[in-house]
DNA sequence: TAGGTGACATTGA
DNA sequence: ATCAATGCCACCT
């Protein structure tokens, strides 16, 4: 398995997030697993927080926690910006939670190994 | 250099 | 639904 430096880890996370299809979303843990680091969900979150989603072209709004809750919305400059972006893609969000999360969830591991 | 604290989490009770 | 325990890394003192 590939040994990832912190920069490589960051880059890997970026790639995964960019792969997320329109109208879908995934979780931090899923991304961590996708790069062979099942316990680094929080690091993924940290990377997302540091990355400038708008500038990097990374749809960070498609990344939520395992329950489909928008934990990161405040990182978008707050005020439901994240929710708005998701709804713009056809994802329904209620009380900071993605509706029908099970169906919206996108599994990166499947796509990568494929 | 070493140690302590925090983080966009996850899981189980 | 809410609370507590766990674990890994990055950053600051």
């Amino acid at each position: 398995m590939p040994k990832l430096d912190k920069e490589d880890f960051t880059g890997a996370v970026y790639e995964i997030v960019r792969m997320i299809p329109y109208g879908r979303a995934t979780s931090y843990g899923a991304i961590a697993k996708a790069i062979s680091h099942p316990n680094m969900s929080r690091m993924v979150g940290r990377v997302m927080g540091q990355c400038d989603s708008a500038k990097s072209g990374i749809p960070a709004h498609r990344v939520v926690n395992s329950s489909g809750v928008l934990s990161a919305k405040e990182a978008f400059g707050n005020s439901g910006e994240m929710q708005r972006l998701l709804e713009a893609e056809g994802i329904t969000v209620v009380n900071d939670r993605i509706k029908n999360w099970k169906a919206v969830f996108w599994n990166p591991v499947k796509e990568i190994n494929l």
Side-chain angles (χ1 to χ4, degrees):
Chain A
M1 65 164 136
K3 175 182 185 287
L4 296 177
D5 290 337
K6 119 184 106 167
E7 293 178 6
D8 294 327
F9 178 83
T10 301
V13 171
Y14 285 1
E15 276 190 48
I16 303 284
V17 177
R18 276 203 221 108
M19 282 181 201
I20 302 175
Y22 182 92
R24 300 287 213 102
T26 190
S27 74
Y28 301 101
I31 293 173
K33 279 186 199 169
I35 55 184
S36 308
H37 290 271
N39 307 7
M40 297 173 65
S41 49
R42 299 178 81 166
M43 302 304 104
V44 176
R46 180 169 274 275
V47 169
M48 298 311 295
Q50 290 177 11
C51 89
D52 190 329
S53 56
K55 274 188 161 186
S56 308
I58 296 172
H61 58 278
R62 292 183 187 152
V63 184
V64 297
N65 66 12
S66 66
S67 303
V69 178
L70 311 185
S71 325
K73 62 180 166 118
E74 294 179 2
F76 277 78
N78 99 40
S79 64
E81 178 71 11
M82 184 175 183
Q83 170 170 348
R84 195 157 57 72
L85 289 168
L86 287 169
E87 292 185 328
E89 300 192 359
I91 299 175
T92 305
V93 177
V94 180
N95 288 336
D96 293 338
R97 229 189 293 153
I98 293 179
K99 192 183 181 213
N100 201 12
W101 168 234
K102 215 163 85 178
V104 175
F105 181 78
W106 177 76
N107 189 338
V109 179
K110 216 175 200 175
E111 299 298 324
I112 288 174
N113 283 335
L114 190 58

